[in-house]
Amino acid sequence: MNKEYIITVFSENKVGLLGEITAVLTQRSINIESLTVSESALQGIHKFTIIVSTESEQIEKAAKQIEKIIDVLKAFVYTQDEVVQQEIALYKVTRSTNVEKLVRDHHVRILEIFDDYIILEKTGHKQDTQALFELLKPYGVQQFVRSGQVAIIKSKHELLDEYLESINKNI
Amino acid sequence: MNNQDNNNYFSGSKAVIESFLAEGVDTIFGYPGGTIMPVYDALYDYRDRVNHILVRHEQCAVHSAQGYARASGKTGVCIVTSGPGATNTVTGLADALLDSTPIVLISGQVASGALGTDAFQETNFIQITQAVTKWNCQVKRAADIPAAIAKAFYIAQSGRPGPVVVDITKDAQMELAEFHYEKVNFIRSYHPYPVLDKEKIAEAAKLINLSNRPLVLVGQGVVLGEAGEELKAFLEKSGIPAASTLLGLSALPTNHPQYVGMLGMHGNYAPNVKNKDCDLLIAIGMRFDDRVTGTPETFGKNAKIIHLDIDPSEINKIIYADVPVIGDVKESLPVLTELLAQKHHKDWIAEFKACYNIEYNAIIEPSIHPTSPQVRMGEVVSGVSKAYNDDAIMVTDVGQQQMVAARFFGYTRPRSIITSGGLGTMGFGLPAAIGAKLGCPEREVCLFVGDGGLQMSIQEFGTIFQSDIHVKVILLNNSFLGMVRQWQELFFDKRYSFTEMINPDFGLIAQANRIAYQCVEERADLEEAIKKMKAHKGAYLLEVRVEKEENVFPMVQAGASVEDVRLE
């Protein structure tokens, strides 16, 4: 049965690596629901957060194949209950009293106000940002973007630190 | 260009060749063209130190490098130009990746300023080869060339070996930079030799000591890890019978008393039919290819599985391992052997021998001593093997001759079979044989090839002539794409859809390439012809017209369990 998994991948900064990592998933017909990439807390090491929906057996194999890529340091797989996930959504909405009421009721942040539209920001789970979109829709949403999800693991340590320490010991 | 080099300032091209020398490269397979011309210009000054083989197609540059690597244990090296030169190598790279063969391929690329402009002979070779290499990179500055090549060699040959591409832009080849070469032996994100888990090894030893009906499955990992002696010590202490995958053949001599045959679709009867009776399977450096397991759900269904492999991603990929032992088998086997009780499994091995006798009467005897009017493939292979005292390097193409050759050739030492296992690349044989001969000049190289496969790379006769490569080519000509025809006969109502071949005169083709040739049609002439081929100094094409519709058995049908192996 399909289940949502969060794969975090730590890698060197190499041209083309994103393609190599996603190719492992496409070869197994695993669809990517969300993907974000940026430098991690460790300088020079990049972190990919990939949300996929697949079977448990598939995800373990895919993670091993990702880890096999030469420039990948480590790939970890988590289930939803092991992480705290968030994403940011931005909305460009036509100004109206209805919209202003929604903003107040849903604790939405206003980023900028223009003569005929406002830019709103909502942080939360995908269903929260989606729910706000549905509410705003009748009043004219001109643009709507989502950042994709980032995740922080609940366990005490960042596992990569332990891993890097173990490499340094073995040198 | 070389006139401009002074002191340690080399052109990028010269840096490529100097880097090769630092890695001990003595043989290169390649084909020049526009964007790689600076490297070829630099190579001109190194003709006395580097043997460059001018192939006739870039795919064959890689296959020759594969043959070279697998015969010698060294890394195979290729140089090609950008665009078509580069794309022609993709099949070779894919073959090398699936069969874990160390290859370093240098491809030319358009000048860095022209990248992404659809320039003449530009292809995005990094993107194209991502799926068929262990690692690749593009170099746009001369100063980065030595480090890229050092990393390439380290990655290609360490851990589980594989093909690596270094794509070098033309301007980087011409630019001058200080040359400084340092071999690579550490990459932060890459750990080719996993640390052994002693607890797992102890668990494995416990299972082995308790087992009554164990079987060892030998894979190419034993050959790549040069662990033949360690395997023998393991077997001789444990007394366990051993079967081999196609690529694991020759890791153990054919006449070893515990050797019970080849696994797989056209493997021997015993290791397939006895699979269900095993209570323990010990897989050593093999990856449970579907051609070995048949349907994986029933493979080893009554057995516990111990899986020794250097690549962690192979564990539980196809077959669940009760005890995984990750590591180089050269390291893990001796530790495991140490913990084993001295045992023998004479009665158990006798059961395999009984199955062998069934196969001998049903298949082997009629193949090697046939009474049928036409020559059969098995008698040719067996005759050649005997003539060379089971000591030649045997290269095959892909198809019926491959299976017959693997089954009926004898092996006395490792690295004696070179065949395209994982990818099953027709046309692999002839160029691989060229590479094998160059990798092991002191050994005899015998290629078995079909009429279909030979014509997929027949232009390499030109390479054989120009570079005077002494390979013996045994063409088993049945005027069919035999393996496909066999499947059509068995599974498609004998509808021989485009498998019959109207062939050219192979004797004339040999003659045109000044290669000695003989054709045998009668059994009575075979032995003498083989003798003549062996005695001939130089390349030789021995064409044997074999039975047109011979089928290869035993056979495990696709999707069937290995225990349902068919004898007819």
Side-chain angles (χ1 to χ4, degrees):
Chain A
M1 213 192 62
N2 277 8
K3 197 174 156 185
E4 191 173 285
Y5 293 94
I6 299 96
I7 312 172
T8 60
V9 181
F10 293 89
S11 77
E12 303 291 356
N13 182 9
K14 188 207 172 208
V15 176
L17 197 57
L18 173 63
E20 278 184 72
I21 291 170
T22 55
V24 171
L25 301 170
T26 48
Q27 195 186 357
R28 288 158 187 80
S29 289
I30 300 174
N31 195 24
I32 296 170
E33 314 256 331
S34 157
L35 186 154
T36 60
V37 193
S38 64
E39 198 170 44
S40 74
L42 298 156
Q43 207 188 355
I45 294 180
H46 277 236
K47 181 177 182 175
F48 296 68
T49 305
I50 310 168
I51 318 284
V52 296
S53 180
T54 185
E55 291 165 2
S56 64
E57 213 178 281
Q58 279 284 343
I59 193 74
E60 290 304 331
K61 289 179 192 175
K64 278 190 196 171
Q65 293 293 335
I66 289 174
E67 207 165 274
K68 191 169 157 176
I69 298 168
I70 302 287
D71 295 287
V72 167
L73 286 150
K74 208 74 191 155
F76 300 102
V77 175
Y78 303 102
T79 51
Q80 268 182 317
D81 54 328
E82 292 173 302
V83 299
V84 177
Q85 284 167 273
Q86 281 291 60
E87 68 170 15
I88 284 186
L90 302 180
Y91 311 77
K92 179 177 168 185
V93 191
T94 312
R95 287 183 65 175
S96 71
T97 45
N98 291 325
V99 168
E100 277 147 30
K101 186 176 179 327
L102 275 173
V103 167
R104 271 196 304 278
D105 293 353
H106 290 86
H107 308 292
V108 179
R109 208 173 144 213
I110 298 170
L111 285 186
E112 285 203 48
I113 304 175
F114 297 89
D115 288 348
D116 48 353
Y117 62 89
I118 51 174
I119 312 280
L120 305 177
E121 176 199 308
K122 169 88 183 162
T123 306
H125 285 146
K126 189 180 170 188
Q127 55 266 37
D128 305 330
T129 58
Q130 185 67 32
L132 181 63
F133 174 64
E134 301 298 338
L135 289 171
L136 289 168
K137 224 169 164 181
Y139 312 115
V141 179
Q142 297 171 31
Q143 280 181 47
F144 169 45
V145 289
R146 264 203 284 262
S147 66
Q149 298 180 52
V150 290
I152 258 181
I153 55 162
K154 290 179 184 168
S155 73
K156 226 173 183 181
H157 303 286
E158 176 82 281
L159 293 170
L160 186 74
D161 292 343
E162 289 172 21
Y163 172 72
L164 286 176
E165 246 171 61
S166 75
I167 300 176
N168 290 332
K169 261 186 233 155
N170 286 334
I171 295 172
Chain B
M1 228 157 294
N2 288 320
N3 300 336
Q4 295 167 17
D5 304 352
N6 50 40
N7 299 328
N8 251 2
Y9 272 79
F10 292 173
S11 68
S13 298
K14 189 171 174 178
V16 169
I17 313 297
E18 286 289 339
S19 301
F20 284 169
L21 292 180
E23 292 290 344
V25 173
D26 55 17
T27 307
I28 296 173
F29 302 91
Y31 206 100
T35 62
I36 198 70
M37 281 184 67
V39 168
Y40 270 87
D41 185 64
L43 191 57
Y44 199 66
D45 293 329
Y46 290 84
R47 283 168 298 166
D48 56 335
R49 276 162 286 173
V50 179
N51 184 19
H52 176 277
I53 304 298
L54 179 64
V55 296
R56 296 302 191 263
H57 187 286
E58 289 90 347
Q59 180 185 342
C60 296
V62 185
H63 290 328
S64 288
Q66 288 179 275
Y68 176 89
R70 282 168 68 174
S72 69
K74 294 192 275 186
T75 296
V77 178
C78 311
I79 306 180
V80 299
T81 193
S82 63
T87 55
N88 276 345
T89 66
V90 169
T91 303
L93 293 170
D95 194 291
L97 184 68
L98 274 176
D99 283 353
S100 310
T101 310
I103 300 291
V104 169
L105 181 138
I106 305 292
S107 52
Q109 182 55 279
V110 299
S112 54
L115 284 169
T117 63
D118 301 331
F120 178 65
Q121 294 194 329
E122 180 188 5
T123 61
N124 184 346
F125 197 48
I126 291 298
Q127 173 95 49
I128 289 172
T129 56
Q130 243 166 28
V132 291
T133 54
K134 185 175 173 186
W135 183 75
N136 66 16
C137 77
Q138 187 172 68
V139 182
K140 293 182 282 189
R141 291 175 49 228
D144 296 336
I145 287 175
I149 292 180
K151 204 171 165 184
F153 273 89
Y154 175 60
I155 292 170
Q157 63 205 11
S158 58
R160 179 175 177 178
V164 164
V165 165
V166 181
D167 194 42
I168 307 178
T169 60
K170 195 171 183 180
D171 52 330
Q173 295 169 36
M174 296 194 288
E175 192 189 356
L176 293 180
E178 195 169 5
F179 180 79
H180 171 69
Y181 197 83
E182 210 174 316
K183 278 202 175 197
V184 168
N185 56 25
F186 175 76
I187 295 171
R188 180 169 66 170
S189 58
Y190 170 61
H191 304 283
Y193 300 103
V195 182
L196 289 186
D197 182 341
K198 297 268 162 70
E199 275 176 36
K200 290 287 177 207
I201 294 179
E203 269 181 62
K206 209 169 148 191
L207 280 184
I208 293 170
N209 288 336
L210 287 172
S211 164
N212 293 316
R213 304 164 83 80
L215 177 65
V216 163
L217 316 176
V218 177
Q220 196 196 195
V222 175
V223 178
L224 293 170
E226 296 187 335
E229 289 308 314
E230 288 78 0
L231 174 68
K232 269 188 219 161
F234 170 88
L235 291 176
E236 281 155 22
K237 188 166 181 194
S238 66
I240 301 174
S244 174
T245 67
L246 176 64
L247 268 67
L249 288 175
S250 82
L252 201 61
T254 324
N255 63 4
H256 191 282
Q258 282 156 260
Y259 179 64
V260 295
M262 182 169 86
L263 295 156
M265 185 172 264
H266 293 290
N268 289 103
Y269 182 62
N272 278 318
V273 79
K274 298 301 285 178
N275 179 274
K276 64 174 187 308
D277 298 331
C278 297
D279 64 5
L280 180 66
L281 295 174
I282 306 144
I284 305 179
M286 57 84 78
R287 61 180 178 87
F288 296 105
D289 184 278
D290 55 83
R291 285 299 189 265
V292 162
T293 61
T295 173
E297 290 75 27
T298 52
F299 187 82
K301 61 183 173 191
N302 301 314
K304 293 248 194 253
I305 311 281
I306 298 171
H307 192 179
L308 291 81
D309 205 283
I310 199 164
D311 179 355
S313 73
E314 288 300 342
I315 305 296
N316 298 344
K317 189 184 80 177
I318 310 285
I319 300 287
Y320 174 78
D322 296 281
V323 181
V325 178
I326 299 168
D328 186 345
V329 293
K330 194 174 179 71
E331 264 186 72
S332 56
L333 275 177
V335 183
L336 182 55
T337 304
E338 187 69 37
L339 301 175
L340 296 184
Q342 185 85 41
K343 268 178 108 167
H344 69 80
H345 289 279
K346 285 202 177 111
D347 294 344
W348 173 229
I349 291 176
E351 291 182 37
F352 284 85
K353 300 290 174 199
C355 291
Y356 175 81
N357 291 338
I358 294 171
E359 181 185 346
Y360 189 87
N361 293 329
I363 293 166
I364 300 174
E365 171 74 17
S367 294
I368 60 177
H369 303 298
T371 49
S372 58
Q374 280 175 297
V375 181
R376 304 192 75 187
M377 293 182 279
E379 61 184 310
V380 183
V381 172
S382 157
V384 172
S385 189
K386 276 200 199 103
Y388 286 89
N389 301 316
D390 297 342
D391 197 39
I393 294 179
M394 197 275 287
V395 184
T396 82
D397 207 77
V398 166
Q400 285 187 318
Q401 34 69 38
Q402 176 185 33
M403 292 297 113
V404 173
R407 286 167 51 76
F408 293 120
F409 212 80
Y411 312 101
T412 49
R413 50 175 157 159
R415 298 192 181 278
S416 293
I417 175 168
I418 295 169
T419 188
S420 167
L423 197 66
T425 308
M426 281 178 70
F428 172 88
L430 191 60
I434 293 171
K437 185 65 192 172
L438 288 158
C440 265
E442 75 289 355
R443 291 187 70 183
E444 296 283 352
V445 173
C446 296
L447 163 69
F448 292 95
V449 60
D451 44 313
L454 180 61
Q455 290 179 81
M456 275 205 186
S457 50
I458 201 161
Q459 77 284 349
E460 294 307 310
F461 277 144
T463 310
I464 289 174
F465 172 60
Q466 179 168 350
S467 298
D468 191 25
I469 315 279
H470 295 193
V471 289
K472 312 296 180 184
V473 180
I474 300 107
L475 165 62
L476 300 175
N477 184 357
N478 56 13
S479 298
F480 265 114
L481 298 173
M483 188 60 92
V484 181
R485 187 212 56 74
Q486 176 171 343
W487 282 51
Q488 286 172 336
E489 177 186 330
L490 298 175
F491 314 121
F492 291 90
D493 282 339
K494 275 199 172 192
R495 287 155 56 87
Y496 292 164
S497 183
F498 300 100
T499 41
E500 188 163 17
M501 297 208 106
I502 311 294
N503 282 318
D505 184 328
F506 290 106
L508 286 177
I509 294 176
Q511 197 191 337
N513 289 281
R514 286 85 142 190
I515 290 170
Y517 167 84
Q518 187 179 351
C519 181
V520 169
E521 294 189 64
E522 302 291 329
R523 177 165 298 125
D525 303 328
L526 184 62
E527 202 180 327
E528 199 50 41
I530 293 171
K531 266 192 204 155
K532 203 170 138 196
M533 172 182 79
K534 193 185 171 206
H536 180 79
K537 281 210 178 317
Y540 202 93
L541 174 62
L542 173 60
E543 176 179 359
V544 185
R545 301 270 169 83
V546 294
E547 194 176 305
K548 285 190 77 167
E549 300 191 25
E550 184 182 349
N551 286 334
V552 181
F553 284 108
M555 179 175 189
V556 179
Q557 270 176 244
S561 298
V562 289
E563 71 206 51
D564 297 326
V565 54
R566 296 167 56 169
L567 286 170
E568 53 177 19

